[in-house]
Amino acid sequence: MKRTLLFWTAIFLIGFAAMFSFRLTYGYITQPNGEIIQQVSSSGLNGYTFELSKRNFAGQNQGSASAAPSAVDQRFEKIATLGIASTEFDADEARVRDIGEQAGALIQHELAFGLTGQRQLQLALGINPAEFDSVIAELRLIGRATQFQVNKIDKTNEYRTLIAQQTSLQQSRDNLIALKQRDAELADLIALETRILDLENQIQNLGVAVGEFDSEFEFVTVKMTLVETSPAAVRDISFMRRAKIALEWALASYAALCISFGFFMIGVTLLGVVVGWVRKLKTASVIS
């Protein structure tokens, strides 16, 4: 009896030691000491992109000087998206604003939020196309880059379509105005005037859209999000802390395993009792 008790006690202790060693080793493998940990603030989880209602367009001549303007004048939309993680938020924000000011950038969107330690700044800058590359190069030297993307979309066909629609509406309006000079019924004149006003409204709306392309100041867009983060840290977890975590895990897991095994053995024992009882009943029925 004593030897049996000692045997099962040894089995129990060996199993517990194995689980403790497993958890301790797992901790060292998954979270080794000396690893650099980048601290990302919760505000950074909101993402580094944002929508911008203001659209900037620029143009460039793609052909020879003798070519027709409509054939060589390209219109395009160019957007750079930058995400920057900063451990020196105030200094980096000042650098960003200084870069924009030196480049003559126009701030078209600005949103700042978050408490100290978790601040975030969203800026959309309208940049002269000639300054675009230099501004991007300077901004990318700030903080730690988390996102960078440049999209250039050709808008030449869209621009020409707007011009064609505007010209067509203007011709239709002029033709209707010419019809007003003729004798007509009052109802027809009222309907004609209503149609002319409708065309005028459409021409004005198109004029606004065309005006975005033909703006005196051509810009491309830089969308930048500056997120405040904590400085990177070196992981250094003491052996005592690792042992404590491993011991807590081993105790909980081993207890659950032992309880499960105990219920399993009780179930097996009950099943054996039931099977034996059924066999006795069959034997008794056969004898009788």
Side-chain angles (χ1 to χ4, degrees):
M1 180 66 180
K2 185 177 179 180
R3 294 182 61 183
T4 302
L5 181 61
L6 289 175
F7 172 79
W8 284 109
T9 300
I11 292 296
F12 177 84
L13 292 176
I14 291 172
F16 180 80
M19 294 194 71
F20 174 80
S21 301
F22 167 77
R23 182 60 182 85
L24 188 64
T25 303
Y26 176 81
Y28 274 107
I29 293 175
T30 57
Q31 298 187 33
N33 287 340
E35 184 179 15
I36 302 298
I37 307 171
Q38 294 292 347
Q39 305 289 342
V40 180
S41 68
S42 61
S43 62
L45 301 177
N46 296 330
Y48 289 95
T49 61
F50 56 91
E51 297 300 323
L52 182 65
S53 58
K54 170 65 180 175
R55 300 177 67 188
N56 295 310
F57 300 97
Q60 63 184 15
N61 192 293
Q62 290 189 310
S64 62
S66 59
S70 62
V72 299
D73 188 24
Q74 184 199 30
R75 301 288 171 171
F76 62 89
E77 184 178 25
K78 192 172 185 180
I79 302 175
T81 302
L82 289 91
I84 300 173
S86 170
T87 57
E88 300 177 353
F89 190 84
D90 293 322
D92 288 340
E93 179 183 354
R95 288 180 61 189
V96 168
R97 295 186 184 277
D98 184 58
I99 291 170
E101 184 176 348
Q102 291 183 6
L106 180 65
I107 297 179
Q108 298 175 325
H109 169 86
E110 179 175 349
L111 178 63
F113 53 91
L115 300 175
T116 301
Q118 297 182 332
R119 290 174 290 179
Q120 186 172 141
L121 173 67
Q122 296 177 349
L123 278 180
L125 305 175
I127 303 288
N128 186 299
E131 303 287 341
F132 181 81
D133 291 335
S134 61
V135 169
I136 292 299
E138 292 185 65
L139 289 176
R140 294 189 67 186
L141 296 176
I142 298 175
R144 177 172 60 88
T146 58
Q147 181 184 24
F148 176 66
Q149 181 176 344
V150 177
N151 292 328
K152 182 177 179 180
I153 306 172
D154 183 37
K155 294 290 184 176
T156 306
N157 290 335
E158 182 178 330
Y159 172 66
R160 291 175 179 172
T161 299
L162 289 173
I163 293 294
Q165 291 176 348
Q166 187 182 48
T167 301
S168 176
L169 289 173
Q170 289 172 344
Q171 290 176 349
S172 298
R173 178 201 59 192
D174 294 342
N175 291 336
L176 290 177
I177 290 175
L179 290 176
K180 289 174 60 177
Q181 309 302 322
R182 302 179 182 180
D183 294 333
E185 297 291 335
L186 180 59
D188 293 335
L189 290 174
I190 293 174
L192 190 62
E193 188 66 33
T194 300
R195 178 57 180 158
I196 291 174
L197 290 175
D198 180 57
L199 289 175
E200 288 284 2
N201 185 53
Q202 294 182 52
I203 291 171
Q204 289 179 5
N205 291 335
L206 279 174
V208 172
V210 172
E212 290 183 343
F213 286 94
D214 285 338
S215 175
E216 179 182 355
F217 303 101
E218 293 183 340
F219 289 126
V220 289
T221 305
V222 175
K223 294 167 57 179
M224 189 212 70
T225 302
L226 185 68
V227 175
E228 185 175 22
T229 63
S230 301
V234 178
R235 181 185 287 115
D236 184 18
I237 304 175
S238 66
F239 175 79
M240 292 302 296
R241 176 170 173 76
R242 292 181 183 275
K244 177 178 177 294
I245 294 173
L247 181 62
E248 290 174 348
W249 180 86
L251 284 172
S253 301
Y254 204 52
L257 181 63
C258 290
I259 291 172
S260 299
F261 181 75
F263 278 115
F264 173 75
M265 293 304 297
I266 291 173
V268 171
T269 303
L270 290 176
L271 179 63
V273 171
V274 171
V275 171
W277 182 66
V278 170
R279 286 178 177 175
K280 287 181 180 180
L281 286 178
K282 286 184 177 180
T283 302
S285 63
V286 169
I287 293 176
S288 61

